[in-house]
mmCIF file of all heavy atoms in Angstrom:
data_model
loop_
_atom_site.group_PDB
_atom_site.id
_atom_site.type_symbol
_atom_site.label_atom_id
_atom_site.label_comp_id
_atom_site.label_asym_id
_atom_site.label_seq_id
_atom_site.Cartn_x
_atom_site.Cartn_y
_atom_site.Cartn_z
ATOM 1 N N GLU A 3 21.009 -72.148 -8.662
ATOM 2 C CA GLU A 3 21.603 -72.657 -9.856
ATOM 3 C C GLU A 3 21.230 -71.810 -11.097
ATOM 4 O O GLU A 3 20.027 -71.518 -11.312
ATOM 5 C CB GLU A 3 21.134 -74.066 -10.119
ATOM 6 C CG GLU A 3 21.812 -75.083 -9.166
ATOM 7 C CD GLU A 3 23.265 -75.388 -9.515
ATOM 8 O OE1 GLU A 3 23.547 -75.403 -10.727
ATOM 9 O OE2 GLU A 3 24.044 -75.491 -8.653
ATOM 10 N N TYR A 4 22.200 -71.335 -11.748
ATOM 11 C CA TYR A 4 21.921 -70.425 -12.855
ATOM 12 C C TYR A 4 21.841 -71.298 -14.215
ATOM 13 O O TYR A 4 22.578 -72.144 -14.363
ATOM 14 C CB TYR A 4 23.025 -69.409 -12.986
ATOM 15 C CG TYR A 4 22.701 -68.268 -13.947
ATOM 16 C CD1 TYR A 4 22.022 -67.147 -13.481
ATOM 17 C CD2 TYR A 4 22.936 -68.404 -15.289
ATOM 18 C CE1 TYR A 4 21.694 -66.098 -14.304
ATOM 19 C CE2 TYR A 4 22.650 -67.329 -16.149
ATOM 20 C CZ TYR A 4 22.003 -66.224 -15.672
ATOM 21 O OH TYR A 4 21.652 -65.191 -16.474
ATOM 22 N N THR A 5 20.853 -70.932 -14.964
ATOM 23 C CA THR A 5 20.686 -71.658 -16.254
ATOM 24 C C THR A 5 20.631 -70.726 -17.386
ATOM 25 O O THR A 5 20.367 -69.567 -17.157
ATOM 26 C CB THR A 5 19.406 -72.576 -16.279
ATOM 27 O OG1 THR A 5 18.265 -71.617 -16.171
ATOM 28 C CG2 THR A 5 19.401 -73.487 -15.068
ATOM 29 N N GLU A 6 20.813 -71.207 -18.582
ATOM 30 C CA GLU A 6 20.780 -70.347 -19.732
ATOM 31 C C GLU A 6 19.389 -69.700 -19.836
ATOM 32 O O GLU A 6 19.240 -68.586 -20.284
ATOM 33 C CB GLU A 6 21.106 -71.163 -20.944
ATOM 34 C CG GLU A 6 22.561 -71.384 -21.218
ATOM 35 C CD GLU A 6 23.266 -70.002 -21.422
ATOM 36 O OE1 GLU A 6 22.808 -69.252 -22.263
ATOM 37 O OE2 GLU A 6 24.292 -69.774 -20.776
ATOM 38 N N GLU A 7 18.450 -70.466 -19.435
ATOM 39 C CA GLU A 7 17.017 -70.033 -19.563
ATOM 40 C C GLU A 7 16.836 -68.729 -18.745
ATOM 41 O O GLU A 7 16.118 -67.835 -19.193
ATOM 42 C CB GLU A 7 16.082 -71.112 -19.013
ATOM 43 C CG GLU A 7 14.644 -70.876 -19.473
ATOM 44 C CD GLU A 7 13.809 -71.984 -18.859
ATOM 45 O OE1 GLU A 7 14.278 -72.955 -18.284
ATOM 46 O OE2 GLU A 7 12.565 -71.850 -18.931
ATOM 47 N N MET A 8 17.549 -68.704 -17.631
ATOM 48 C CA MET A 8 17.390 -67.539 -16.788
ATOM 49 C C MET A 8 18.020 -66.302 -17.323
ATOM 50 O O MET A 8 17.685 -65.167 -16.929
ATOM 51 C CB MET A 8 18.060 -67.838 -15.398
ATOM 52 C CG MET A 8 17.283 -68.917 -14.598
ATOM 53 S SD MET A 8 18.168 -69.386 -13.200
ATOM 54 C CE MET A 8 17.090 -70.552 -12.509
ATOM 55 N N ALA A 9 18.883 -66.538 -18.223
ATOM 56 C CA ALA A 9 19.548 -65.356 -18.894
ATOM 57 C C ALA A 9 18.663 -64.712 -19.993
ATOM 58 O O ALA A 9 19.068 -63.822 -20.644
ATOM 59 C CB ALA A 9 20.904 -65.800 -19.473
ATOM 60 N N GLU A 10 17.580 -65.336 -20.162
ATOM 61 C CA GLU A 10 16.592 -64.717 -21.231
ATOM 62 C C GLU A 10 16.253 -63.419 -20.854
ATOM 63 O O GLU A 10 16.272 -63.012 -19.660
ATOM 64 C CB GLU A 10 15.406 -65.704 -21.323
ATOM 65 C CG GLU A 10 15.657 -66.952 -22.121
ATOM 66 C CD GLU A 10 16.036 -66.712 -23.461
ATOM 67 O OE1 GLU A 10 15.236 -66.053 -24.198
ATOM 68 O OE2 GLU A 10 17.082 -67.143 -23.960
ATOM 69 N N PRO A 11 15.828 -62.623 -21.862
ATOM 70 C CA PRO A 11 15.492 -61.212 -21.495
ATOM 71 C C PRO A 11 14.388 -61.185 -20.446
ATOM 72 O O PRO A 11 13.462 -62.000 -20.439
ATOM 73 C CB PRO A 11 14.888 -60.779 -22.802
ATOM 74 C CG PRO A 11 15.436 -61.641 -23.847
ATOM 75 C CD PRO A 11 15.825 -62.937 -23.229
ATOM 76 N N PHE A 12 14.607 -60.334 -19.578
ATOM 77 C CA PHE A 12 13.647 -60.077 -18.479
ATOM 78 C C PHE A 12 12.351 -59.564 -18.873
ATOM 79 O O PHE A 12 11.353 -59.514 -18.109
ATOM 80 C CB PHE A 12 14.253 -59.334 -17.272
ATOM 81 C CG PHE A 12 15.313 -60.099 -16.553
ATOM 82 C CD1 PHE A 12 16.203 -59.425 -15.710
ATOM 83 C CD2 PHE A 12 15.500 -61.431 -16.751
ATOM 84 C CE1 PHE A 12 17.126 -60.129 -14.972
ATOM 85 C CE2 PHE A 12 16.454 -62.132 -16.037
ATOM 86 C CZ PHE A 12 17.278 -61.500 -15.176
ATOM 87 N N SER A 13 12.344 -59.019 -20.085
ATOM 88 C CA SER A 13 11.067 -58.476 -20.574
ATOM 89 C C SER A 13 9.985 -59.512 -20.534
ATOM 90 O O SER A 13 8.865 -59.255 -20.224
ATOM 91 C CB SER A 13 11.200 -57.916 -21.977
ATOM 92 O OG SER A 13 11.706 -58.978 -22.821
ATOM 93 N N SER A 14 10.343 -60.769 -20.780
ATOM 94 C CA SER A 14 9.403 -61.780 -20.694
ATOM 95 C C SER A 14 9.150 -62.258 -19.274
ATOM 96 O O SER A 14 8.083 -62.742 -18.951
ATOM 97 C CB SER A 14 9.826 -62.979 -21.501
ATOM 98 O OG SER A 14 11.053 -63.477 -20.945
ATOM 99 N N ALA A 15 10.103 -62.068 -18.422
ATOM 100 C CA ALA A 15 9.946 -62.437 -17.037
ATOM 101 C C ALA A 15 9.306 -61.344 -16.203
ATOM 102 O O ALA A 15 8.950 -61.560 -15.088
ATOM 103 C CB ALA A 15 11.371 -62.791 -16.456
ATOM 104 N N THR A 16 9.347 -60.145 -16.785
ATOM 105 C CA THR A 16 8.797 -59.023 -16.042
ATOM 106 C C THR A 16 7.321 -58.801 -16.414
ATOM 107 O O THR A 16 7.061 -58.244 -17.528
ATOM 108 C CB THR A 16 9.559 -57.741 -16.323
ATOM 109 O OG1 THR A 16 10.959 -58.008 -16.035
ATOM 110 C CG2 THR A 16 9.145 -56.598 -15.427
ATOM 111 N N GLU A 17 6.450 -59.337 -15.641
ATOM 112 C CA GLU A 17 5.031 -59.229 -16.041
ATOM 113 C C GLU A 17 4.245 -58.760 -14.827
ATOM 114 O O GLU A 17 4.535 -58.976 -13.706
ATOM 115 C CB GLU A 17 4.562 -60.532 -16.533
ATOM 116 C CG GLU A 17 5.004 -61.661 -15.630
ATOM 117 C CD GLU A 17 4.835 -62.997 -16.288
ATOM 118 O OE1 GLU A 17 5.094 -63.131 -17.586
ATOM 119 O OE2 GLU A 17 4.402 -64.023 -15.656
ATOM 120 N N VAL A 18 3.129 -58.084 -15.193
ATOM 121 C CA VAL A 18 2.220 -57.604 -14.235
ATOM 122 C C VAL A 18 1.417 -58.828 -13.679
ATOM 123 O O VAL A 18 0.962 -59.670 -14.354
ATOM 124 C CB VAL A 18 1.277 -56.576 -14.773
ATOM 125 C CG1 VAL A 18 0.321 -56.049 -13.722
ATOM 126 C CG2 VAL A 18 2.080 -55.452 -15.437
ATOM 127 N N THR A 19 1.385 -58.872 -12.300
ATOM 128 C CA THR A 19 0.569 -59.969 -11.757
ATOM 129 C C THR A 19 -0.935 -59.684 -11.872
ATOM 130 O O THR A 19 -1.343 -58.628 -12.215
ATOM 131 C CB THR A 19 0.912 -60.092 -10.265
ATOM 132 O OG1 THR A 19 0.460 -58.868 -9.619
ATOM 133 C CG2 THR A 19 2.352 -60.310 -10.041
ATOM 134 N N ALA A 20 -1.638 -60.731 -11.576
ATOM 135 C CA ALA A 20 -3.073 -60.672 -11.739
ATOM 136 C C ALA A 20 -3.693 -59.782 -10.606
ATOM 137 O O ALA A 20 -4.738 -59.252 -10.711
ATOM 138 C CB ALA A 20 -3.726 -62.056 -11.749
ATOM 139 N N THR A 21 -2.889 -59.680 -9.497
ATOM 140 C CA THR A 21 -3.429 -59.035 -8.304
ATOM 141 C C THR A 21 -3.259 -57.562 -8.248
ATOM 142 O O THR A 21 -3.903 -56.816 -7.604
ATOM 143 C CB THR A 21 -2.791 -59.609 -7.047
ATOM 144 O OG1 THR A 21 -1.374 -59.554 -7.138
ATOM 145 C CG2 THR A 21 -3.194 -61.040 -6.897
ATOM 146 N N THR A 22 -2.269 -57.039 -9.106
ATOM 147 C CA THR A 22 -2.014 -55.597 -9.075
ATOM 148 C C THR A 22 -1.804 -55.033 -10.453
ATOM 149 O O THR A 22 -1.352 -55.765 -11.391
ATOM 150 C CB THR A 22 -0.786 -55.325 -8.194
ATOM 151 O OG1 THR A 22 -0.569 -53.892 -8.296
ATOM 152 C CG2 THR A 22 0.426 -56.042 -8.674
ATOM 153 N N THR A 23 -2.028 -53.826 -10.613
ATOM 154 C CA THR A 23 -1.864 -53.150 -11.888
ATOM 155 C C THR A 23 -0.837 -52.137 -11.853
ATOM 156 O O THR A 23 -0.385 -51.565 -12.899
ATOM 157 C CB THR A 23 -3.176 -52.528 -12.405
ATOM 158 O OG1 THR A 23 -3.618 -51.627 -11.477
ATOM 159 C CG2 THR A 23 -4.154 -53.593 -12.770
#
Side-chain angles (χ1 to χ4, degrees):
Chain A
E3 286 286 320
Y4 194 89
T5 65
E6 280 297 310
E7 195 183 350
M8 291 169 180
E10 284 297 304
F12 287 167
S13 54
S14 61
T16 307
E17 47 196 36
V18 181
T19 63
T21 55
T22 176
T23 54

